[in-house]
Every structure is written in structure tokens, then in C-alpha cells.
Amino acid sequence: MGCVDMWVWWLIAAGGLAIPLVLTAMPEFGMVSVGALAAALASGITDNVALQVVVFAVVSTALVLVVRPIARRSRAQRPEVSTGMDALMGRSAVVVERVDGTSGQIKLAGEIWSARSLDTAETFEAGSQVSVVEIDGATAVVM
């Protein structure tokens, strides 16, 4: 087998290893596939099959040992994105209709919400700024 033949086989191996990566979404297959690409490059430089196998093994192992922990760490440190009612808590709103301990209306995120004050003795007049403490059903609790 000539030098050109070996790099073709390494490319076929790289493609074959990329298929399970796509089907299973396991990044380790991609790392081993890159190892096969490195071996294909090595086969373009040398006819020594043992050296090509060593390049394949070293690159694949290095990628798995280095990239995997980094990927795990970044997956664990994803910022939490608030959605729905959780995204509304802590936001500012404008009082549209007087808010007291039992009723009222505010404009929150461009929409009119029914609202009540957290402290039942506290009232907020129209035009004042309030902060949403929680969402109780369809009513914003403000302070």
C-alpha cells in the first residue's frame, strides 16, 4: 500500500467515525474522528503505519482528555434564563389604576395586569413606579 492509499483509508475512518457523532450526538466520536484526520495528515508525511497509529491514538486521547472536561464545565455553568412568570419578578411597572391591598392595575412588560400591593396597608397612585415581587395567578403583587 502506498502513502496515498493510507491517507484515503484514514479519511474513510474519519468519516465513518463522524456518522455515530451525528446519530448519537456523542462528541467523543467527533474527537476520535479528528484523530483519524490527524493520522491522514501523518500518512501524507510518512509511510510508517505504526507512526500513523500513534498519531491517531495521541490526538484522539488528548482531545478526549482535554476537551471533555472543558465541555462538561461549560455545560454545568450555563446561565439560567428566566422565562414566563419568573422573568417578570423583580421588574419595574407603572401603576395605571390605583393599587391597594386588594386591587389595581399596572402596566408590566407592555401589558396591563391586575395588581395588588404586598403590604395591604400600602397604596400606589396612578403614574407611580412599582416593583413586581411575585405573580399570584393573574395578579402581580407589587411594592
Side-chain angles (χ1 to χ4, degrees):
M1 241 188 254
C3 180
V4 174
D5 291 335
M6 277 309 291
W7 72 263
V8 170
W9 287 112
W10 281 113
L11 286 180
I12 291 170
L17 289 165
I19 291 169
L21 167 67
V22 173
L23 295 176
T24 64
M26 290 181 61
E28 291 81 3
F29 283 111
M31 295 173 208
V32 176
S33 180
V34 170
L37 287 175
L41 289 173
S43 78
I45 298 169
T46 181
D47 287 337
N48 187 340
V49 176
L51 183 60
Q52 295 169 24
V53 171
V54 167
V55 167
F56 168 73
V58 168
V59 170
S60 298
T61 304
L63 284 172
V64 169
L65 292 176
V66 172
V67 174
R68 221 168 131 205
I70 293 170
R72 237 187 224 145
R73 248 189 322 250
S74 71
R75 199 177 315 137
Q77 295 174 350
R78 283 189 185 156
E80 190 174 310
V81 177
S82 297
T83 58
M85 289 187 282
D86 291 335
L88 297 174
M89 289 193 287
R91 292 191 63 180
S92 293
V94 177
V95 176
V96 176
E97 182 182 294
R98 182 175 187 253
V99 175
D100 57 28
T102 58
S103 64
Q105 287 187 335
I106 60 169
K107 187 167 191 174
L108 172 64
E111 298 178 353
I112 303 296
W113 281 71
S114 44
R116 65 177 170 80
S117 62
L118 179 64
D119 180 1
T120 54
E122 195 168 15
T123 60
F124 302 97
E125 296 303 323
S128 59
Q129 233 16 46
V130 291
S131 180
V132 177
V133 179
E134 69 176 287
I135 303 293
D136 182 19
T139 303
V141 180
V142 299
M143 62 182 280

